[in-house]
Amino acid sequence: MAGKSISSFYIGGGTPTSMLGKGLEDILNAIYRHFNMECSIHIESHPNHLSNENLDILKTSGVKYLSIGIEALQDKYLKMLERPYNTEDVKKIVERAAGKNFECLNIDYIFDLPGQTVVEVEQASYDMVKLGINQAATYPLFSFPYTRFGREITAKRNTVVTMFRRRKFLKVIEDIFYSSGFERSSVWAFTQKGTDKYCSVTVPSYIGLGASGSSYLKDMFYVNTFKVAEYIKATENGSSPIALSIDLSEKAQMAGWLYWRIYETKFRKSDFQQRFDRSFDKKYGSYMEYLNRIGFLNNGQDLIQLTDKGTYWIHAFEDFFFD
């Protein structure tokens, strides 16, 4: 990595702010000493970690993009999700963070919770805008069958009905954020116009450091061991902590590129040409023309931009067929 320019740096998922005062500051200082950092740091956080003092530590450590996992803005749903705070407290915390003037303050919000109504999602959306945030990542409740909560939810839900209900919820969120000066920056995220977005998933190539970190380097994808002790032992011995690696064919690389560009909702064909030295229209043009005809996207000479309808349904179909 010596001399390589780092254009984005993301720390998260888990909750790295649980290490504030317990080594996180040392890690951040080491990052700036050892890497050619031509960027600011993005970091995930838990609301209960964001005291005034901790927010100041994050600012002085070079963090300029902060994401707060609030998850809900009504007490009954916070209780359902087992979040250790109430609505009034979390609003004060977000407002406190907004007052620190991060370049982008993002909050994560989950909708389509069991029993949730359109009116409740509408109220939460208005409340989010009032908190002074720069971005909201508004995800439907994703259920994982290997968890107790996921098994309970999956057993009670009809997949097709769920898809249409989520579209109704998302339309409410879209209308409120668009009317409040935000624009869509991904399938689920809305960013204040003129603000550089907080994002951790659409970087074209990246290196993952730490246990369970994944990396994508043009034609190879690999994942580090999930076991912390094994990761430490490997790095101390100068050996590789990689647990799984996949050599990607050019076809797989192209498909991955297109998947994440669709996730961002707009992209340029010329970027595909530059990346693969291939014509985008020759490779995917017939598909784009069909999606253009049914109103899912606008297929321009260079720019392709998904419509709101296309943004949701293309992603919903991907989830349905790959689940």
Side-chain angles (χ1 to χ4, degrees):
M1 294 297 293
K4 292 288 186 182
S5 173
I6 307 298
S7 58
S8 65
F9 204 104
Y10 163 78
I11 305 177
T15 313
T17 47
S18 63
M19 289 183 64
L20 279 165
K22 302 174 183 177
L24 181 61
E25 298 91 323
D26 295 334
I27 292 173
L28 294 174
N29 289 333
I31 287 166
Y32 279 101
R33 285 200 311 273
H34 295 290
F35 291 96
N36 181 14
M37 294 285 286
E38 295 188 358
C39 61
S40 302
I41 291 175
H42 297 62
I43 196 167
E44 303 280 334
S45 69
H46 188 288
N48 286 352
H49 301 156
L50 299 180
S51 64
N52 193 61
E53 179 184 4
N54 282 346
L55 285 165
D56 287 339
I57 290 172
L58 292 172
K59 288 279 288 187
T60 57
S61 298
V63 173
K64 294 187 178 179
Y65 297 78
L66 178 66
S67 179
I68 310 175
I70 66 167
E71 317 311 355
L73 275 174
Q74 280 119 2
D75 285 343
K76 64 179 178 179
Y77 297 118
L78 290 171
K79 184 176 181 180
M80 179 186 295
L81 294 168
E82 300 180 0
R83 304 300 286 180
Y85 46 79
N86 60 39
T87 303
E88 183 180 354
D89 289 339
V90 81
K91 285 182 178 180
K92 290 178 180 177
I93 291 165
V94 174
E95 289 172 342
R96 181 193 303 145
K100 298 295 182 178
N101 296 316
F102 288 91
E103 288 188 17
C104 184
L105 177 64
N106 173 79
I107 56 175
D108 289 344
Y109 170 77
I110 300 173
F111 65 90
D112 192 27
L113 293 163
Q116 195 169 37
T117 67
V118 168
V119 172
E120 288 171 329
V121 171
E122 182 180 53
Q123 183 59 58
S125 299
Y126 280 122
D127 286 345
M128 283 188 276
V129 171
K130 293 175 185 176
L131 293 174
I133 61 170
N134 307 109
Q135 180 174 296
T138 60
Y139 304 97
L141 177 66
F142 295 119
S143 57
F144 298 97
Y146 51 81
T147 66
R148 175 187 58 80
F149 195 61
R151 287 193 298 271
E152 291 173 357
I153 297 301
T154 302
K156 297 177 182 177
R157 291 196 165 187
N158 178 288
T159 301
V160 175
V161 172
T162 296
M163 289 166 64
F164 280 95
R165 184 180 60 251
R166 288 180 173 179
R167 178 66 194 116
K168 182 168 66 175
F169 282 135
L170 187 57
K171 182 66 168 62
V172 170
I173 295 168
E174 288 169 354
D175 289 345
I176 291 171
F177 277 95
Y178 289 157
S179 65
S180 302
F182 289 70
E183 58 189 354
R184 184 176 236 121
S185 51
S186 76
V187 172
W188 307 115
F190 301 88
T191 308
Q192 204 170 44
K193 291 178 180 178
T195 300
D196 188 25
K197 68 180 179 180
Y198 180 101
C199 186
S200 61
V201 297
T202 59
V203 180
S205 60
Y206 50 88
I207 289 179
L209 306 175
S212 80
S214 62
S215 302
Y216 177 49
L217 301 175
K218 191 176 181 178
D219 59 355
M220 178 177 285
F221 179 82
Y222 60 87
V223 182
N224 297 335
T225 176
F226 276 62
K227 296 181 179 179
V228 175
E230 285 187 8
Y231 184 89
I232 293 171
K233 183 178 179 180
T235 54
E236 287 180 343
N237 293 338
S239 57
S240 171
I242 295 172
L244 171 70
S245 63
I246 304 172
D247 292 320
L248 299 172
S249 65
E250 185 178 60
K251 182 179 180 181
Q253 294 172 50
M254 290 179 179
W257 185 93
L258 182 59
Y259 176 91
W260 287 116
R261 302 296 75 75
I262 286 174
Y263 189 89
E264 291 182 303
T265 75
K266 58 184 175 183
F267 58 93
R268 295 193 177 276
K269 301 174 187 179
S270 54
D271 290 338
F272 181 88
Q273 175 83 39
Q274 183 178 4
R275 169 68 174 80
F276 296 105
D277 196 26
R278 297 273 296 273
S279 166
F280 181 86
D281 283 333
K282 287 184 178 179
K283 180 66 178 176
Y284 295 116
S286 59
Y287 300 106
M288 297 301 112
E289 275 304 306
Y290 174 74
L291 293 171
N292 184 83
R293 285 198 297 271
I294 64 175
F296 277 17
L297 55 78
N298 297 311
N299 186 15
Q301 185 173 352
D302 185 33
L303 179 68
I304 290 180
Q305 184 158 2
L306 276 69
T307 61
D308 287 333
K309 178 173 70 172
T311 294
Y312 177 75
W313 284 112
I314 290 175
H315 193 71
F317 293 152
E318 287 173 338
D319 281 348
F320 181 78
F321 287 110
F322 288 101
D323 191 8

mmCIF file of all heavy atoms in Angstrom, residues 174-201:
data_model
loop_
_atom_site.group_PDB
_atom_site.id
_atom_site.type_symbol
_atom_site.label_atom_id
_atom_site.label_comp_id
_atom_site.label_asym_id
_atom_site.label_seq_id
_atom_site.Cartn_x
_atom_site.Cartn_y
_atom_site.Cartn_z
ATOM 1 N N GLU A 174 -40.078 8.903 -0.264
ATOM 2 C CA GLU A 174 -39.589 9.653 -1.432
ATOM 3 C C GLU A 174 -40.215 11.043 -1.481
ATOM 4 O O GLU A 174 -39.506 12.061 -1.627
ATOM 5 C CB GLU A 174 -39.929 8.900 -2.720
ATOM 6 C CG GLU A 174 -39.119 7.658 -2.962
ATOM 7 C CD GLU A 174 -39.673 6.823 -4.109
ATOM 8 O OE1 GLU A 174 -40.765 7.158 -4.635
ATOM 9 O OE2 GLU A 174 -39.039 5.824 -4.463
ATOM 10 N N ASP A 175 -41.528 11.109 -1.415
ATOM 11 C CA ASP A 175 -42.240 12.389 -1.564
ATOM 12 C C ASP A 175 -41.798 13.396 -0.505
ATOM 13 O O ASP A 175 -41.588 14.588 -0.803
ATOM 14 C CB ASP A 175 -43.751 12.162 -1.470
ATOM 15 C CG ASP A 175 -44.308 11.431 -2.692
ATOM 16 O OD1 ASP A 175 -43.600 11.354 -3.715
ATOM 17 O OD2 ASP A 175 -45.439 10.924 -2.597
ATOM 18 N N ILE A 176 -41.630 12.946 0.727
ATOM 19 C CA ILE A 176 -41.270 13.861 1.814
ATOM 20 C C ILE A 176 -39.837 14.361 1.651
ATOM 21 O O ILE A 176 -39.555 15.560 1.790
ATOM 22 C CB ILE A 176 -41.465 13.173 3.176
ATOM 23 C CG1 ILE A 176 -42.963 12.965 3.431
ATOM 24 C CG2 ILE A 176 -40.831 13.999 4.304
ATOM 25 C CD1 ILE A 176 -43.281 12.100 4.626
ATOM 26 N N PHE A 177 -38.916 13.475 1.329
ATOM 27 C CA PHE A 177 -37.521 13.900 1.194
ATOM 28 C C PHE A 177 -37.301 14.745 -0.058
ATOM 29 O O PHE A 177 -36.542 15.716 -0.029
ATOM 30 C CB PHE A 177 -36.585 12.700 1.237
ATOM 31 C CG PHE A 177 -36.266 12.260 2.641
ATOM 32 C CD1 PHE A 177 -36.998 11.248 3.252
ATOM 33 C CD2 PHE A 177 -35.268 12.888 3.367
ATOM 34 C CE1 PHE A 177 -36.727 10.860 4.565
ATOM 35 C CE2 PHE A 177 -34.984 12.508 4.678
ATOM 36 C CZ PHE A 177 -35.719 11.500 5.273
ATOM 37 N N TYR A 178 -37.961 14.407 -1.154
ATOM 38 C CA TYR A 178 -37.822 15.233 -2.361
ATOM 39 C C TYR A 178 -38.339 16.647 -2.110
ATOM 40 O O TYR A 178 -37.716 17.633 -2.519
ATOM 41 C CB TYR A 178 -38.596 14.616 -3.521
ATOM 42 C CG TYR A 178 -38.005 13.346 -4.093
ATOM 43 C CD1 TYR A 178 -38.804 12.448 -4.796
ATOM 44 C CD2 TYR A 178 -36.657 13.033 -3.940
ATOM 45 C CE1 TYR A 178 -38.276 11.280 -5.324
ATOM 46 C CE2 TYR A 178 -36.119 11.866 -4.462
ATOM 47 C CZ TYR A 178 -36.927 10.996 -5.155
ATOM 48 O OH TYR A 178 -36.410 9.842 -5.681
ATOM 49 N N SER A 179 -39.453 16.755 -1.433
ATOM 50 C CA SER A 179 -40.036 18.078 -1.173
ATOM 51 C C SER A 179 -39.229 18.870 -0.149
ATOM 52 O O SER A 179 -39.439 20.073 0.022
ATOM 53 C CB SER A 179 -41.482 17.940 -0.690
ATOM 54 O OG SER A 179 -41.532 17.279 0.568
ATOM 55 N N SER A 180 -38.281 18.192 0.528
ATOM 56 C CA SER A 180 -37.470 18.848 1.557
ATOM 57 C C SER A 180 -36.041 19.142 1.087
ATOM 58 O O SER A 180 -35.167 19.431 1.914
ATOM 59 C CB SER A 180 -37.431 17.968 2.823
ATOM 60 O OG SER A 180 -38.739 17.717 3.304
ATOM 61 N N GLY A 181 -35.802 19.052 -0.214
ATOM 62 C CA GLY A 181 -34.491 19.416 -0.761
ATOM 63 C C GLY A 181 -33.485 18.283 -0.810
ATOM 64 O O GLY A 181 -32.278 18.525 -0.907
ATOM 65 N N PHE A 182 -33.961 17.038 -0.760
ATOM 66 C CA PHE A 182 -33.086 15.878 -0.858
ATOM 67 C C PHE A 182 -33.227 15.254 -2.247
ATOM 68 O O PHE A 182 -34.241 15.441 -2.927
ATOM 69 C CB PHE A 182 -33.433 14.833 0.204
ATOM 70 C CG PHE A 182 -33.070 15.221 1.612
ATOM 71 C CD1 PHE A 182 -33.763 16.234 2.275
ATOM 72 C CD2 PHE A 182 -32.041 14.584 2.282
ATOM 73 C CE1 PHE A 182 -33.441 16.589 3.575
ATOM 74 C CE2 PHE A 182 -31.708 14.929 3.585
ATOM 75 C CZ PHE A 182 -32.405 15.930 4.232
ATOM 76 N N GLU A 183 -32.211 14.492 -2.648
ATOM 77 C CA GLU A 183 -32.275 13.739 -3.885
ATOM 78 C C GLU A 183 -31.858 12.299 -3.619
ATOM 79 O O GLU A 183 -31.151 12.023 -2.648
ATOM 80 C CB GLU A 183 -31.361 14.357 -4.955
ATOM 81 C CG GLU A 183 -29.906 14.447 -4.563
ATOM 82 C CD GLU A 183 -29.090 15.251 -5.553
ATOM 83 O OE1 GLU A 183 -29.642 15.648 -6.606
ATOM 84 O OE2 GLU A 183 -27.894 15.479 -5.287
ATOM 85 N N ARG A 184 -32.307 11.418 -4.467
ATOM 86 C CA ARG A 184 -31.980 10.002 -4.263
ATOM 87 C C ARG A 184 -30.518 9.763 -4.601
ATOM 88 O O ARG A 184 -30.030 10.173 -5.656
ATOM 89 C CB ARG A 184 -32.881 9.124 -5.122
ATOM 90 C CG ARG A 184 -32.669 7.666 -4.912
ATOM 91 C CD ARG A 184 -33.627 6.790 -5.677
ATOM 92 N NE ARG A 184 -34.339 5.897 -4.766
ATOM 93 C CZ ARG A 184 -35.651 5.876 -4.636
ATOM 94 N NH1 ARG A 184 -36.405 6.690 -5.323
ATOM 95 N NH2 ARG A 184 -36.221 5.042 -3.780
ATOM 96 N N SER A 185 -29.791 9.068 -3.699
ATOM 97 C CA SER A 185 -28.380 8.762 -3.938
ATOM 98 C C SER A 185 -28.116 7.261 -4.007
ATOM 99 O O SER A 185 -27.009 6.841 -4.323
ATOM 100 C CB SER A 185 -27.505 9.389 -2.847
ATOM 101 O OG SER A 185 -27.969 9.061 -1.551
ATOM 102 N N SER A 186 -29.126 6.442 -3.697
ATOM 103 C CA SER A 186 -29.054 4.996 -3.893
ATOM 104 C C SER A 186 -30.475 4.467 -3.819
ATOM 105 O O SER A 186 -31.420 5.234 -3.648
ATOM 106 C CB SER A 186 -28.159 4.322 -2.845
ATOM 107 O OG SER A 186 -28.811 4.236 -1.600
ATOM 108 N N VAL A 187 -30.621 3.160 -3.930
ATOM 109 C CA VAL A 187 -31.957 2.579 -3.869
ATOM 110 C C VAL A 187 -32.706 3.052 -2.628
ATOM 111 O O VAL A 187 -33.872 3.433 -2.692
ATOM 112 C CB VAL A 187 -31.870 1.032 -3.874
ATOM 113 C CG1 VAL A 187 -33.242 0.413 -3.611
ATOM 114 C CG2 VAL A 187 -31.322 0.532 -5.210
ATOM 115 N N TRP A 188 -32.013 3.061 -1.487
ATOM 116 C CA TRP A 188 -32.690 3.350 -0.214
ATOM 117 C C TRP A 188 -32.319 4.702 0.397
ATOM 118 O O TRP A 188 -32.933 5.106 1.383
ATOM 119 C CB TRP A 188 -32.374 2.268 0.823
ATOM 120 C CG TRP A 188 -32.643 0.878 0.349
ATOM 121 C CD1 TRP A 188 -31.725 -0.114 0.156
ATOM 122 C CD2 TRP A 188 -33.912 0.301 0.005
ATOM 123 N NE1 TRP A 188 -32.335 -1.266 -0.286
ATOM 124 C CE2 TRP A 188 -33.689 -1.039 -0.383
ATOM 125 C CE3 TRP A 188 -35.221 0.793 -0.014
ATOM 126 C CZ2 TRP A 188 -34.704 -1.887 -0.790
ATOM 127 C CZ3 TRP A 188 -36.240 -0.058 -0.418
ATOM 128 C CH2 TRP A 188 -35.983 -1.373 -0.796
ATOM 129 N N ALA A 189 -31.323 5.394 -0.138
ATOM 130 C CA ALA A 189 -30.797 6.594 0.532
ATOM 131 C C ALA A 189 -31.212 7.885 -0.164
ATOM 132 O O ALA A 189 -31.335 7.947 -1.392
ATOM 133 C CB ALA A 189 -29.273 6.523 0.618
ATOM 134 N N PHE A 190 -31.384 8.941 0.661
ATOM 135 C CA PHE A 190 -31.725 10.276 0.173
ATOM 136 C C PHE A 190 -30.757 11.271 0.796
ATOM 137 O O PHE A 190 -30.613 11.326 2.020
ATOM 138 C CB PHE A 190 -33.173 10.615 0.549
ATOM 139 C CG PHE A 190 -34.164 9.640 -0.010
ATOM 140 C CD1 PHE A 190 -34.494 8.480 0.698
ATOM 141 C CD2 PHE A 190 -34.729 9.842 -1.255
ATOM 142 C CE1 PHE A 190 -35.379 7.557 0.182
ATOM 143 C CE2 PHE A 190 -35.630 8.917 -1.786
ATOM 144 C CZ PHE A 190 -35.949 7.774 -1.070
ATOM 145 N N THR A 191 -30.083 12.050 -0.045
ATOM 146 C CA THR A 191 -29.027 12.956 0.394
ATOM 147 C C THR A 191 -29.398 14.387 0.064
ATOM 148 O O THR A 191 -29.932 14.671 -1.016
ATOM 149 C CB THR A 191 -27.684 12.600 -0.279
ATOM 150 O OG1 THR A 191 -27.414 11.207 -0.078
ATOM 151 C CG2 THR A 191 -26.546 13.432 0.293
ATOM 152 N N GLN A 192 -29.121 15.271 0.980
ATOM 153 C CA GLN A 192 -29.376 16.694 0.783
ATOM 154 C C GLN A 192 -28.626 17.171 -0.450
ATOM 155 O O GLN A 192 -27.451 16.848 -0.644
ATOM 156 C CB GLN A 192 -28.897 17.447 2.020
ATOM 157 C CG GLN A 192 -29.552 18.783 2.265
ATOM 158 C CD GLN A 192 -29.160 19.311 3.638
ATOM 159 O OE1 GLN A 192 -28.000 19.241 4.034
ATOM 160 N NE2 GLN A 192 -30.115 19.837 4.374
ATOM 161 N N LYS A 193 -29.289 17.930 -1.289
ATOM 162 C CA LYS A 193 -28.648 18.422 -2.511
ATOM 163 C C LYS A 193 -27.420 19.262 -2.156
ATOM 164 O O LYS A 193 -27.455 20.071 -1.239
ATOM 165 C CB LYS A 193 -29.637 19.255 -3.329
ATOM 166 C CG LYS A 193 -30.763 18.442 -3.931
ATOM 167 C CD LYS A 193 -31.746 19.312 -4.702
ATOM 168 C CE LYS A 193 -32.870 18.472 -5.286
ATOM 169 N NZ LYS A 193 -33.877 19.296 -6.006
ATOM 170 N N GLY A 194 -26.324 19.019 -2.877
ATOM 171 C CA GLY A 194 -25.094 19.751 -2.633
ATOM 172 C C GLY A 194 -24.206 19.133 -1.574
ATOM 173 O O GLY A 194 -23.142 19.661 -1.267
ATOM 174 N N THR A 195 -24.619 17.988 -1.003
ATOM 175 C CA THR A 195 -23.841 17.303 0.030
ATOM 176 C C THR A 195 -23.208 16.045 -0.545
ATOM 177 O O THR A 195 -23.856 15.297 -1.270
ATOM 178 C CB THR A 195 -24.741 16.909 1.222
ATOM 179 O OG1 THR A 195 -25.310 18.088 1.785
ATOM 180 C CG2 THR A 195 -23.950 16.168 2.290
ATOM 181 N N ASP A 196 -21.945 15.806 -0.221
ATOM 182 C CA ASP A 196 -21.268 14.577 -0.615
ATOM 183 C C ASP A 196 -21.833 13.438 0.217
ATOM 184 O O ASP A 196 -21.847 13.502 1.439
ATOM 185 C CB ASP A 196 -19.762 14.714 -0.388
ATOM 186 C CG ASP A 196 -18.983 13.542 -0.954
ATOM 187 O OD1 ASP A 196 -19.486 12.888 -1.892
ATOM 188 O OD2 ASP A 196 -17.859 13.289 -0.471
ATOM 189 N N LYS A 197 -22.299 12.378 -0.416
ATOM 190 C CA LYS A 197 -23.048 11.336 0.287
ATOM 191 C C LYS A 197 -22.166 10.472 1.176
ATOM 192 O O LYS A 197 -20.978 10.289 0.940
ATOM 193 C CB LYS A 197 -23.781 10.437 -0.717
ATOM 194 C CG LYS A 197 -22.866 9.584 -1.576
ATOM 195 C CD LYS A 197 -23.678 8.726 -2.536
ATOM 196 C CE LYS A 197 -22.757 7.886 -3.430
ATOM 197 N NZ LYS A 197 -23.518 7.043 -4.364
ATOM 198 N N TYR A 198 -22.778 9.940 2.229
ATOM 199 C CA TYR A 198 -22.170 8.900 3.056
ATOM 200 C C TYR A 198 -22.507 7.568 2.404
ATOM 201 O O TYR A 198 -23.671 7.253 2.164
ATOM 202 C CB TYR A 198 -22.747 8.944 4.471
ATOM 203 C CG TYR A 198 -22.166 7.892 5.406
ATOM 204 C CD1 TYR A 198 -21.185 8.230 6.322
ATOM 205 C CD2 TYR A 198 -22.592 6.562 5.356
ATOM 206 C CE1 TYR A 198 -20.643 7.274 7.184
ATOM 207 C CE2 TYR A 198 -22.062 5.614 6.202
ATOM 208 C CZ TYR A 198 -21.088 5.969 7.112
ATOM 209 O OH TYR A 198 -20.552 5.022 7.942
ATOM 210 N N CYS A 199 -21.483 6.778 2.084
ATOM 211 C CA CYS A 199 -21.751 5.494 1.443
ATOM 212 C C CYS A 199 -20.640 4.516 1.751
ATOM 213 O O CYS A 199 -19.461 4.882 1.775
ATOM 214 C CB CYS A 199 -21.874 5.669 -0.066
ATOM 215 S SG CYS A 199 -22.372 4.159 -0.910
ATOM 216 N N SER A 200 -21.020 3.261 1.983
ATOM 217 C CA SER A 200 -20.028 2.245 2.324
ATOM 218 C C SER A 200 -20.067 1.032 1.416
ATOM 219 O O SER A 200 -19.273 0.117 1.599
ATOM 220 C CB SER A 200 -20.270 1.787 3.773
ATOM 221 O OG SER A 200 -21.567 1.217 3.887
ATOM 222 N N VAL A 201 -20.956 0.997 0.426
ATOM 223 C CA VAL A 201 -21.152 -0.262 -0.303
ATOM 224 C C VAL A 201 -20.898 -0.194 -1.802
ATOM 225 O O VAL A 201 -20.835 -1.234 -2.447
ATOM 226 C CB VAL A 201 -22.581 -0.809 -0.074
ATOM 227 C CG1 VAL A 201 -22.801 -1.150 1.380
ATOM 228 C CG2 VAL A 201 -23.638 0.174 -0.564
#
